[in-house]
Amino acid sequence: MHIMEGFLPLLWAIMWYVVSIPFVLYGIMEIKKLFREHPEQKMILAVSGAFIFVLSSLKLPSVTGSSSQPTGTGVSSVLFGPAITSVMATIVLIFQAILLAHGGITTLGANVFSMGIAGPLIGWLAFKGMRSFKAGMIPSVFVAAVLADWVTYLVTSIQLALAYPGADIISSFTAFATVFAVTQVPLAIGEGIIMAIFFDFLLSNRPKMIREILKEKIGKASSETPGVAQ
Amino acid sequence: MGHVTGIDSLAYNSRALYWPPAGKLLLSVCLLVGSLSSYNLYGPAIVLGVGLFLFLYSVKGNLPSFILLLIAAVMAFNAVGVIIIAATQAGSPVFSISLPFIVINISQEGLDLAALVFLRSFAGLFVVLFFASSTPIPHIFNSLKKMGLPDYIAEITVLVYRYSFMILEQSEQMVNAAGCRLGFSGWWNYMRTTGTLTANLFIRSLEFAERSQNALQSRNFTGSFPVFREPKRITTVWIFLSLAVFASVYLIGNIR
C-alpha cells in the first residue's frame, strides 16, 4: 500500500523522510554487521529483497490515491529482523517508484515508514511474542504477516489523515481507513495464509537454511526439529 | 509484470540515457518539490508540461501501450483519492451527494484542494516517468556509490535488481504451469497453489542465485558491477538549471 507521488504536502513529505532515515541508517549498520559475520547470507538477503519486490508488485485495485498489494515484509522481518527489512523495503520501494510508478520520490519517506518500519516492526514483535509463549512456527508467521499488513495500512491512513485533516482528523482517518479496509483486511488474511504455506513448505524442504537464519534472531527456533512444521 | 521489463528496456533505449543520472535526479526532485510548494494550479501545470516534454523526449515520442495503461491505472486510483480529500474538507457545501447511509457535502475549499492534489499527482507521475524511462537502476546506484553510498548497499541493490527480473521470469512460467493444472480453480486451491508456488519460487531463485554467485566469483567478482559506459558526472550546469527550474515553479506557483 503506497501513497502516490504528489499526494503529500511538502512539509509532511520532509517530515516522514526525517522520521524514517534513522531507522534505515540503523538497518544499514545491521546489514554491514550481518555481511561481516555471515557473508554467505548476502545472496539470501538479495533474493529476499527481490522476492519482496515481486510479491509487493502484485497490484490489486484499491482506492483513495493508493493501490493495494501484499507487502511481503512480514516474512522478511521474521527472517532478518525489522532493521534489515527497513533497508530492503527502502530498496524495493525505490524500484517500485521507478519501475512501476507505485509510490513516488517525495512520498518515499512516508512509504518507507509505513511499509518498511511500522508494519515489519509490529509483525516481528508479534512473532517474537508468540514464539516466547511457545506458539507454533506457522501460526506465528501467519499472525506476523497479517499484522505487518494491517499496521502498514493503518499507518498509511494516519499519514493521509494527518496530511489532509479536513474538518477533523478522526473523520478523515475513518474515511481513508474505511475505504482501504475493503481491500486490505481480506488481502492481509490472504497474505497470512500464503506466507504460512510458504514457511511450512520451506521448513519441510529447506530446514537447514531456515534454522541457520532464524537461530541468529530467535533462540527458540534453533531447538526445533528440522523439517517439522508445527 | 511486463511493464517492469518494459520500463527497463525503455531506459536502456532512451535518448537521455547518457545524461548524468545525478543531474536527472536533481532536476526531477526540484520539479517535484516545486510542484509541492505551489499553492495555485499554475506551478503543477508547468511541472506537468516540463515532465511530459522530458518524458516524450526520453522515449522518442513513442508511448507503448503498457505506459498508457500504467498512467490510466495510477490516475484512476488518484481520482478516487482526491474525491475523499474533497469530501473531508471543511467549508460551506457547494453540493451534496446522498448515499444510503450518509450524505457527503462537498465544499469549494475541498474542490480546490482536490484539484491541486490531483494536478500535483498527475505532474509528479510524468516527472517520475521521465526519470524512470531514462535512467536504468544500475546507473542510479553507480552514481549514488560515487556520492558516498556504502559499497555493500550498492552491491545488494544491484543484486536485488538482477534477481527481481529472474524471479519475475520464473514466476511467469510457474504461474502458467500451475494454471494449466487447474491450480487456481476455487479459493482454497488458489491460496494453496500461490503459497507453494511462492515457496518453490523462492527455493528455485536461491538455487539460481547460488549458481550465479559461483559464476560471478569464478570471474573474480569483488562486489562491484562495472557498467559498460560510465554515466556522466553531474556538472554545475545541471545544478544551476535544476535550481532555476525550482525557483521558477516556486515563484509562479505562489502567485496569489
Side-chain angles (χ1 to χ4, degrees):
Chain A
M1 169 170 295
H2 310 331
I3 300 175
M4 295 297 188
E5 180 59 61
F7 246 76
L8 286 182
L10 186 59
L11 195 68
W12 282 108
I14 294 170
M15 210 284 283
W16 288 115
Y17 263 100
V18 170
V19 171
S20 300
I21 283 171
F23 290 95
V24 177
L25 287 179
Y26 176 68
I28 288 175
M29 289 192 292
E30 286 287 297
I31 286 185
K32 189 177 182 182
K33 201 169 111 191
L34 178 78
F35 285 177
R36 200 174 48 232
E37 291 168 6
H38 302 280
E40 75 284 355
Q41 287 198 11
K42 190 184 286 182
M43 192 186 59
I44 297 171
L45 191 65
V47 171
S48 301
F51 198 69
I52 298 175
F53 173 65
V54 174
L55 257 189
S56 59
S57 305
L58 303 172
K59 194 167 175 176
L60 291 178
S62 173
V63 274
T64 63
S66 165
S67 52
S68 296
Q69 303 91 7
T71 62
T73 50
V75 164
S76 173
S77 70
V78 165
L79 289 174
F80 297 107
I84 290 177
T85 301
S86 72
V87 182
M88 299 317 290
T90 305
I91 294 171
V92 166
L93 283 165
I94 293 172
F95 285 6
Q96 288 182 346
I98 292 171
L99 294 172
L100 300 165
H102 293 189
I105 296 173
T106 60
T107 54
L108 183 67
N111 288 330
V112 165
F113 187 79
S114 62
M115 190 178 127
I117 296 168
L121 182 66
I122 299 297
W124 179 74
L125 286 174
F127 178 80
K128 273 200 91 176
M130 284 186 69
R131 293 296 287 158
S132 68
F133 284 105
K134 304 206 183 317
M137 179 69 82
I138 301 306
S140 306
V141 169
F142 171 79
V143 171
V146 171
L147 280 183
D149 254 22
W150 281 347
V151 170
T152 299
Y153 121 73
L154 281 176
V155 171
T156 305
S157 304
I158 292 170
Q159 288 170 332
L160 286 169
L162 285 170
Y164 300 104
D168 75 292
I169 199 163
I170 301 293
S171 58
S172 179
F173 167 75
T174 310
F176 282 114
T178 307
V179 181
F180 281 148
V182 175
T183 53
Q184 212 62 29
V185 169
L187 184 83
I189 295 170
E191 184 177 351
I193 294 170
I194 288 168
M195 286 304 126
I197 296 169
F198 168 83
F199 225 82
D200 184 42
F201 193 89
L202 280 187
L203 280 170
S204 309
N205 290 276
R206 285 290 182 105
K208 190 166 167 258
M209 182 192 83
I210 294 294
R211 220 170 57 244
E212 274 173 9
I213 298 172
L214 285 185
K215 77 181 173 195
E216 305 299 326
K217 299 285 169 199
I218 305 147
K220 285 186 187 308
S222 58
S223 62
E224 278 185 358
T225 312
V228 176
Q230 293 175 28
Chain B
M1 302 305 290
H3 47 290
V4 176
T5 45
I7 289 196
D8 196 59
S9 51
L10 276 183
Y12 279 105
N13 292 305
S14 168
R15 259 189 209 160
L17 174 64
Y18 292 107
W19 291 5
K24 285 184 275 188
L25 181 63
L26 182 65
L27 177 63
S28 303
V29 170
C30 283
L31 282 165
L32 294 172
V33 172
S35 173
L36 294 186
S37 315
S38 301
Y39 289 96
N40 62 35
L41 297 179
Y42 302 124
I46 291 171
V47 173
L48 174 61
V50 174
L52 186 59
F53 171 77
L54 287 171
F55 172 58
L56 289 175
Y57 177 82
S58 166
V59 296
K60 300 168 190 165
N62 298 321
L63 274 183
S65 56
F66 74 87
I67 289 280
L68 295 174
L69 284 173
L70 197 71
I71 293 169
V74 169
M75 293 326 294
F77 295 138
N78 287 354
V80 186
V82 295
I83 289 170
I84 295 226
I85 291 172
T88 51
Q89 295 308 301
S92 48
V94 179
F95 63 93
S96 301
I97 303 166
S98 294
L99 294 173
F101 300 105
I102 193 170
V103 176
I104 299 169
N105 294 315
I106 308 285
S107 64
Q108 188 57 50
E109 290 85 349
L111 284 176
D112 292 344
L113 182 61
L116 183 64
V117 173
F118 187 79
L119 198 56
R120 278 177 183 168
S121 181
F122 198 38
L125 176 64
F126 282 105
V127 174
V128 172
L129 279 176
F130 152 67
F131 183 68
S133 67
S134 63
T135 320
I137 298 270
H139 284 203
I140 301 168
F141 283 90
N142 190 290
S143 294
L144 291 177
K145 204 169 131 181
K146 281 177 190 158
M147 290 158 74
L149 185 78
D151 278 359
Y152 54 93
I153 296 296
E155 184 194 352
I156 196 84
T157 307
V158 175
L159 285 173
V160 170
Y161 169 73
R162 288 177 179 227
Y163 294 150
S164 294
F165 286 97
M166 189 192 75
I167 294 181
L168 277 172
E169 193 190 339
Q170 296 229 345
S171 72
E172 240 168 60
Q173 291 171 4
M174 289 168 77
V175 165
N176 284 342
C180 289
R181 292 175 177 81
L182 303 180
F184 298 110
S185 58
W187 188 84
W188 178 243
N189 253 346
Y190 191 99
M191 301 308 272
R192 201 181 52 185
T193 304
T194 311
T196 46
L197 194 143
T198 46
N200 265 311
L201 189 62
F202 190 72
I203 291 171
R204 281 177 67 173
S205 305
L206 272 178
E207 284 166 356
F208 188 90
E210 263 170 28
R211 286 201 302 273
S212 76
Q213 183 76 8
N214 290 340
L216 283 170
Q217 280 175 343
S218 65
R219 289 167 176 79
N220 298 326
F221 174 63
T222 53
S224 67
F225 290 93
V227 288
F228 176 59
R229 276 173 68 179
E230 284 276 326
K232 288 178 191 157
R233 282 173 177 271
I234 188 168
T235 57
T236 45
V237 174
W238 276 94
I239 296 170
F240 281 120
L241 175 75
S242 304
L243 292 177
V245 165
F246 168 72
S248 311
V249 174
Y250 180 83
L251 288 173
I252 296 167
N254 284 279
I255 294 170
R256 297 282 173 187

